Amino acid sequence: MIHHAIFGSLSRMIAILLEHHGGVLPFWLSPDQVAVAPISKDQAGYGADVLTAFWDAGIRAVAYDGADTLSRRIVAAHEMAVPVMAIVGGREMRDGRVSLRARDGSQADVPLAEAVSRLQARARPGANMAEAL
């Protein structure tokens, strides 16, 4: 009898990967790579534009624009192990920029096009995981 357990070996590999990384996957492998959080409802439209720009570039982004405070949304994204937060406020909206905050604490305030290109570079499989923003 030949035993062929494709799904069993796949699930074991995923379990080993999650255990090795402590449940925190590298950027290129994370299901949600970027969490876009507008500071207030006034920036919700620009937040949607930022989200669309990330999606168009092939970056898996999700909106964190609920009724909670910004700090609570940041904590929620951290609990969900989202590698990068993209925070947009009035200044970012006015200047066409985005404030990126990585899981390791590094921050960068960059134009939207540069943010997209930086995150695209990190999204390639095998990209440098220790790379700062």
Side-chain angles (χ1 to χ4, degrees), residues 29-51:
L29 192 56
S30 293
D32 293 331
Q33 295 172 322
V34 180
V36 179
I39 290 178
S40 70
K41 296 288 183 198
D42 297 336
Q43 293 87 29
Y46 181 63
D49 294 342
V50 169
L51 188 68

Side-chain angles (χ1 to χ4, degrees), residues 8-75:
S9 60
L10 181 63
S11 66
R12 280 191 296 278
M13 182 58 199
I14 291 171
I16 290 168
L17 188 65
L18 286 171
E19 184 177 345
H20 177 73
H21 289 288
V24 179
L25 296 172
F27 183 83
W28 62 271
L29 192 56
S30 293
D32 293 331
Q33 295 172 322
V34 180
V36 179
I39 290 178
S40 70
K41 296 288 183 198
D42 297 336
Q43 293 87 29
Y46 181 63
D49 294 342
V50 169
L51 188 68
T52 302
F54 288 145
W55 283 343
D56 291 345
I59 298 167
R60 295 183 298 274
V62 63
Y64 274 67
D65 58 355
D68 291 335
T69 63
L70 178 63
S71 60
R72 182 66 206 134
R73 288 181 277 153
I74 291 172
V75 168

Side-chain angles (χ1 to χ4, degrees), residues 83-107:
V84 176
M85 286 285 301
I87 300 175
V88 292
R91 183 181 59 219
E92 288 84 7
M93 183 174 74
R94 182 186 67 234
D95 299 338
R97 301 175 72 83
V98 63
S99 180
L100 299 176
R101 175 188 290 193
R103 196 172 23 217
D104 65 1
S106 62
Q107 296 182 357

